[in-house]
Amino acid sequence: EPEVTQTPSHQVTQMGQEVILRCVPISNHLYFYWYRQILGQKVEFLVSFYNNEISEKSEIFDDQFSVERPDGSNFTLKIRSTKLEDSAMYFCASSRDSNGEQYFGPGTRLTVT
Amino acid sequence: GESVGLHLPTLSVQEGDNSIINCAYSNSASDYFIWYKQESGKGPQFIIDIRSNMDKRQGQRVTVLLNKTVKHLSLQIAATQPGDSAVYFCAENTRFRAGTALIFGKGTTLSVSS
């Protein structure tokens, strides 16, 4: 069964450093998403991406965040200058349709020290 | 305020019991709802979904009920098993120009004891 994959599983970085989180969505999916989950809290929407552009973003997704689909398979989330409060699980998701089931990856745990 | 939420943060049941997890939503324009299961250290896993033109949908051991009048969603798990222990989230879609975003509730932790 196809699945969304994410690397790394755990990333530790120092405050102010740049991080890139990587995702490989399901191959025939066209819509891509990033979500965040702070420990013990609910999953929060960050950004959606379609046709090589951002289609929607939340208030969390400020100028420190960016997304890219550098090739035909990868989908990345970059945080330019990490803050302590960026520590969270980051989940990538993809869907085939704009209003269809979203499949989530296993997540990357980001720890900012 | 929150768009989607759950009534109880925790639910403890005995193996074999039926479990009911509830969720209230506030956006009456929402037309697609999903229940996700999240096990420790893993991403949300799709369980079942329902569209607003339905009030009930059944899967394997799970049933989702939608009451649009009171904006209430519930997940029923029949014959709950220890493997059902996880955090359960309801989510509603928010439709944008070229995609949707899922708005999640806070989650209910289901604990199943043998």
Side-chain angles (χ1 to χ4, degrees):
Chain A
E1 182 177 331
E3 58 183 16
V4 177
T5 59
Q6 291 185 242
T7 54
S9 57
H10 191 190
Q11 175 84 50
V12 181
T13 189
Q14 289 191 326
M15 193 168 50
Q17 295 296 305
E18 174 182 289
V19 294
I20 298 176
L21 310 183
R22 303 180 190 280
C23 169
V24 178
I26 294 173
S27 61
N28 63 346
H29 285 187
L30 301 175
Y31 300 85
F32 314 115
Y33 313 85
W34 283 101
Y35 292 83
R36 176 183 88 174
Q37 185 179 33
I38 294 171
L39 185 64
Q41 298 187 24
K42 63 182 180 180
V43 177
E44 299 173 291
F45 168 73
L46 293 178
V47 65
S48 59
F49 190 88
Y50 169 73
N51 198 25
N52 285 318
E53 63 180 16
I54 291 173
S55 50
E56 190 59 42
K57 59 184 179 180
S58 71
E59 293 176 352
I60 303 169
F61 195 88
D62 60 22
D63 292 343
Q64 294 297 315
F65 291 87
S66 62
V67 290
E68 190 178 27
R69 188 152 164 83
D71 53 42
S73 61
N74 290 283
F75 179 51
T76 62
L77 174 69
K78 181 192 291 186
I79 309 175
R80 290 188 183 81
S81 178
T82 51
K83 304 186 286 286
L84 294 176
E85 54 265 37
D86 293 328
S87 295
M89 284 289 288
Y90 287 81
F91 294 106
C92 174
S94 69
S95 65
R96 187 172 52 196
D97 305 309
S98 64
N99 196 28
E101 179 184 342
Q102 293 185 23
Y103 292 80
F104 283 76
T108 292
R109 179 176 300 282
L110 176 65
T111 302
V112 182
T113 61
Chain B
E2 265 187 6
S3 175
V4 178
L6 289 167
H7 293 304
L8 292 175
T10 60
L11 177 65
S12 296
V13 300
Q14 293 284 324
E15 182 178 1
D17 286 352
N18 295 331
S19 302
I20 299 176
I21 301 172
N22 296 305
C23 173
Y25 65 94
S26 58
N27 186 355
S28 56
S30 295
D31 62 1
Y32 179 50
F33 304 88
I34 312 99
W35 281 100
Y36 282 93
K37 173 185 180 182
Q38 187 178 28
E39 296 173 297
S40 180
K42 297 184 178 180
Q45 178 186 0
F46 173 90
I47 301 173
I48 192 167
D49 60 2
I50 189 168
R51 299 199 181 266
S52 59
N53 60 350
M54 303 173 70
D55 53 22
K56 181 179 179 179
R57 189 159 187 232
Q58 287 185 292
Q60 189 177 18
R61 282 201 306 118
V62 293
T63 300
V64 55
L65 299 176
L66 175 63
N67 185 332
K68 295 182 286 295
T69 302
V70 295
K71 290 184 282 189
H72 184 268
L73 193 67
S74 68
L75 176 70
Q76 300 177 0
I77 305 173
T80 316
Q81 302 168 358
D84 295 328
S85 295
V87 180
Y88 289 81
F89 294 95
C90 65
E92 63 178 314
N93 79 313
T94 299
R95 203 188 293 227
F96 300 107
R97 177 176 49 86
T100 59
L102 294 177
I103 308 302
F104 284 80
K106 285 186 177 178
T108 289
T109 300
L110 176 65
S111 299
V112 183
S113 52
S114 304

